[in-house]
Amino acid sequence: MTRTGFRGEILSLAHDPAEAPDALRHEADGLLVVEDGRVLARGAFAELAPRFPGLAVERLEGLIIPGLIDAHVHYPQLDRIASHGAQLLDWLERHIFPAEKAFADPAHAARLAEAFLDELLRHGTTSALVFGTVHAVSVEAFFAAAEARGLRMVCGKVLMDLGPQGLRDSPEEARRESAALIRRWHGRARLTYAVTPRFALTSSDAQLAVAGALLAAHPGVLLHTHLAENPREIAEVAARFTDARDYLDVYDRFGLVTERSVFAHGVHLPDRSCARLAQSGAGIAVCPSSNFFLGSGMFDFVQAERYGVRLGLGSDIGAGTSLSLLHNGGLAYQAGLPSGYALDPLRALWLATGGSARLLHIEHAVGMLAEGQEADFVVLDDKATPLMARRTEGASLAERLFALQVLGDDRAVRRTYVLGQCVWNRDGELQ
Ligand code: GUN
Ligand code: ZN
């Protein structure tokens, strides 16, 4: 048994603050007691410390928050971040599909998986819902790398039988390879599988039916895809699926809208879709930096809140412009303003922690830094730059958090811990 104490300012949210006024948990001088990778106890240092005489306590300078959780990201697109193109479909053809073809090579996939995980941890992200490519080996490489680091991750092989040449599977391959990956990886260590049709345009009806059958046959797995992201994509979906009531209905007809479904974007949703999302318990991964970068539009928080749609926050690298969920939280605020929604900084933090955890069905384990949860956490530095130091001097907790979101990024991540072990230390060597 190993037991360690971490002393510092601790902040987390137990619920969505838009729903529960008592969601905030904050200890200005707190103690986190970690035993064998889990939170054994947490509270005010003065009250808790006497219960643990002789405890080795490490003092952490900064703001301790739960490890951030990226609800939508593509690891194979890491090196294609900042690729110049004309909105989604053009960008996919020019940059993304060629890059993804290289993941037929397991050595390439393994190298990128390691680089991606290094970057995630540097940005304070400890869990994510991750797209692989159409190649099963891309998911093998990712899960193997995540398992070796002890990370809680969700990933899946992309289904795309209508994709470009060299990047296509068939409905039968999709079924066979996904089922084999589920058998091998789902529920192993801290890993979860997600059935991952790329989007409606790259799967035949037969393959969407396979996705539905996989979900039905494997009750614990997630469904992960894109929804209503960009105007041209939406027009093409409407032209192909003339019987569907809307984009979400395309997925619904194949049994893909469930409480275990995560849809990236949902920038342009009719009210009917929002009602159906809320009723089913499915969630949206809001990806503001991607939506700005590809000119897709801005997520409508007012509409989502009206229907009670579950939300998390995603970077959507490579369309996103930063892996930082702090930075994406700041952009989510900017995306909300035109439709009259000023995203509260505490709610932005919720989206990137407990909100995403709920979408990924890992909220029993991570996202709140609560007693019994796994000890994945991050130490933020709200004085990471001279200007941030000026802005946060004497500021309230909400102001400091907002400054971290608007001005901060990986520079503001001082340390990242996984299961109580330091895996990123901005200021020095790992212990
Ligand atoms: N829609 C289908 N594929 C993709 C992708 O790789 N990135 C984004 N942003 N949208 C998509
Ligand atoms: Zn995406």
Side-chain angles (χ1 to χ4, degrees):
M1 183 197 75
T2 60
R3 194 183 272 185
T4 317
F6 299 96
R7 180 178 183 177
E9 182 177 4
I10 311 175
L11 169 69
S12 67
L13 292 150
H15 310 280
D16 185 342
E19 292 166 7
D22 60 347
L24 179 68
R25 210 171 155 190
H26 179 228
E27 291 97 9
D29 179 14
L31 178 65
L32 189 70
V33 184
V34 175
E35 184 175 277
D36 295 334
R38 285 183 183 269
V39 179
L40 178 66
R42 170 180 161 185
F45 181 83
E47 284 166 33
L48 206 53
R51 277 179 40 202
F52 296 94
L55 179 72
V57 176
E58 190 178 349
R59 189 180 257 288
L60 297 176
E61 284 304 322
L63 190 61
I64 303 171
I65 62 164
L68 299 166
I69 302 174
D70 193 331
H72 177 70
V73 59
H74 301 247
Y75 98 81
Q77 298 179 13
L78 182 72
D79 291 346
R80 295 275 67 78
I81 190 170
S83 290
H84 191 276
Q87 298 212 5
L88 173 64
L89 300 181
D90 171 69
W91 171 85
L92 282 173
E93 296 280 346
R94 277 169 57 185
H95 302 292
I96 298 307
F97 292 154
E100 291 194 4
K101 285 180 187 168
F103 286 73
D105 173 8
H108 178 76
R111 277 194 301 276
L112 262 289
E114 296 296 346
F116 173 79
L117 292 176
D118 284 345
E119 281 297 318
L120 273 196
L121 297 172
R122 244 173 38 71
H123 285 79
T125 299
T126 49
S127 290
L129 174 54
V130 183
F131 258 66
T133 64
V134 73
H135 317 94
V137 291
S138 74
V139 179
E140 290 282 348
F142 181 79
F143 275 143
E147 184 183 39
R149 296 178 189 229
L151 296 171
R152 185 165 281 289
M153 288 286 162
V154 190
C155 186
K157 171 203 133 67
V158 177
L159 315 186
M160 47 189 300
D161 64 333
L162 301 183
Q165 196 162 26
L167 207 60
R168 262 182 226 152
D169 55 0
S170 67
E172 175 47 26
E173 277 165 347
R175 191 201 57 73
R176 185 168 30 82
E177 293 179 352
S178 301
L181 287 165
I182 291 167
R183 270 196 303 278
R184 187 159 147 80
W185 293 104
H186 179 67
R188 171 165 154 179
R190 301 176 80 197
L191 308 174
T192 307
Y193 193 82
V195 174
T196 309
R198 182 166 213 122
F199 66 157
L201 294 179
T202 42
S203 285
S204 64
D205 286 21
Q207 191 175 62
L208 292 171
V210 163
L214 283 164
L215 268 194
H218 304 279
V221 306
L222 301 191
L223 183 283
H224 183 199
T225 190
H226 297 92
L227 170 70
E229 174 181 1
N230 191 274
R232 219 183 99 203
E233 166 217 10
I234 294 166
E236 291 197 16
V237 170
R240 176 174 147 201
F241 297 94
T242 48
D243 289 349
R245 284 174 287 185
D246 52 36
Y247 196 153
L248 184 70
D249 195 40
V250 172
Y251 294 136
D252 220 355
R253 285 164 185 235
F254 294 99
L256 304 183
V257 181
T258 76
E259 50 128 22
R260 302 190 78 88
S261 304
V262 181
F263 298 102
H265 306 295
V267 175
H268 307 281
L269 292 175
D271 284 349
R272 200 205 70 84
S273 295
C274 287
R276 175 67 186 128
L277 286 168
Q279 178 212 23
S280 66
I284 297 281
V286 180
C287 304
S289 74
S290 166
N291 298 156
F292 281 124
F293 181 72
L294 290 177
S296 296
M298 283 171 262
F299 186 77
D300 189 341
F301 285 95
V302 175
Q303 184 195 34
E305 194 162 284
R306 193 159 65 240
Y307 287 92
V309 179
R310 289 185 169 203
L311 303 180
L313 192 66
S315 70
D316 192 29
I317 293 301
T321 52
S322 173
L323 275 173
S324 170
L325 294 181
L326 293 174
H327 182 68
N328 274 283
L331 290 180
Y333 163 81
Q334 295 178 37
L337 288 180
S339 58
Y341 190 85
L343 178 65
D344 181 88
L346 286 170
R347 185 158 197 238
L349 178 63
W350 161 260
L351 294 182
T353 54
S356 286
R358 273 170 54 181
L359 255 50
L360 275 57
H361 287 257
I362 55 175
E363 77 275 20
H364 58 284
V366 290
M368 289 128 197
L369 213 49
E371 292 82 351
Q373 286 205 314
E374 296 159 353
D376 292 355
F377 58 93
V378 177
V379 186
L380 299 179
D381 175 9
D382 64 4
K383 299 178 175 27
T385 68
L387 186 53
M388 286 175 74
R390 295 177 71 86
R391 181 62 187 88
T392 57
E393 182 65 37
S396 69
L397 177 64
E399 285 175 323
R400 288 164 56 213
L401 196 55
F402 192 53
L404 278 161
Q405 290 160 358
V406 176
L407 304 174
D409 49 31
D410 49 327
R411 292 167 298 173
V413 176
R414 180 173 271 143
R415 290 189 183 195
T416 304
Y417 287 78
V418 169
L419 297 175
Q421 300 292 320
C422 186
V423 295
W424 167 248
N425 183 352
R426 183 195 69 181
D427 303 324
E429 297 297 308
L430 296 177
Q431 299 103 332

